[in-house]
Amino acid sequence: MARGSIPASPIVSPFSSQVDTAALSRQDPVTCGLVDSAEELDLHLRVREEVFVREQRLFQGTDRDSHDDNPSTLHVLGLCNRVLGGVVRLYPLDEPGLWKGDRLAVLPPFRKLALGAALVRFAVRTAGERGGDLMVAYVQVPNVTFFEYLGWNQVGEAFEYVGQPHQQMAIQLVKG
């Protein structure tokens, strides 16, 4: 896994029968880093499938789209004590300095461990370090308060996206 504070030791798949996610706690180290191999990308996509296809039923079959195959898209893994628990992706848009963060997915056992906040902060920092000025995201309406807590602002009115109410959010980026 590239950049970030991911330890050199191997990532543990949350889909392994040997993982006891109930034993994880807020005291366990939370780290984020960029996907660095085909195996890591497969795990990233598997987490998204679990959350967006199986749990939330926002997509049929897969949530993959053309952004996943674009070389400018950055896929991020979030770990709690080396166990993969969440993901996010980010990519630059056509307008110079404008980035989009999306597909933030955290598996249920990791939602109370501050992993979602770590993933969002990592995405924001990474986009800024790569010259971004502003990041936007479409956030499910129940998650707006969470994003506001992290410094994001609402843009416009809520709208329907993939059959659910979403709110566009934005945050100014700090260049690295």
Side-chain angles (χ1 to χ4, degrees):
M1 179 174 294
R3 214 183 69 62
S5 53
I6 297 293
S9 55
I11 294 169
V12 178
S13 169
F15 308 109
S16 166
S17 61
Q18 300 171 346
V19 175
D20 181 9
T21 56
L24 297 171
S25 75
R26 275 188 158 298
Q27 284 69 45
D28 288 320
V30 172
T31 54
C32 298
L34 298 175
V35 162
D36 196 30
S37 69
E39 294 81 15
E40 289 179 1
L41 181 59
D42 286 343
L43 283 170
H44 171 101
L45 295 170
R46 174 87 188 269
V47 170
R48 286 177 24 197
E49 179 182 319
E50 287 295 320
V51 172
F52 297 126
V53 176
R54 294 197 170 124
E55 178 189 344
Q56 297 181 0
R57 302 188 190 285
L58 293 176
F59 299 94
Q60 300 252 342
T62 184
D63 75 318
R64 288 193 70 162
D65 61 21
S66 62
H67 294 292
D68 288 308
D69 299 322
N70 189 319
S72 65
T73 298
L74 305 176
H75 296 87
V76 179
L77 301 179
L79 287 74
C80 181
N81 200 21
R82 292 186 19 249
V83 180
L84 175 62
V87 300
V88 68
R89 73 176 182 186
L90 59 146
Y91 46 90
L93 296 174
D94 291 336
E95 183 180 323
L98 183 61
W99 282 70
K100 184 170 185 189
D102 67 8
R103 300 299 202 266
L104 173 65
V106 178
L107 296 168
F110 298 86
R111 291 182 185 156
K112 299 289 184 190
L113 304 177
L115 188 56
L119 283 160
V120 172
R121 288 182 178 118
F122 182 88
V124 167
R125 184 176 64 251
T126 300
E129 289 171 351
R130 292 174 182 251
D133 297 311
L134 183 73
M135 180 177 266
V136 296
Y138 297 160
V139 175
Q140 292 178 29
V141 169
N143 297 324
V144 166
T145 303
F146 168 72
F147 274 80
E148 288 175 329
Y149 170 77
L150 295 174
W152 292 66
N153 298 300
Q154 295 184 42
V155 177
E157 300 295 320
F159 59 97
E160 189 170 303
Y161 176 69
V162 294
Q164 295 292 316
H166 281 69
Q167 175 66 54
Q168 184 173 355
M169 306 287 290
I171 190 167
Q172 289 295 135
L173 301 174
V174 176
K175 292 192 179 189

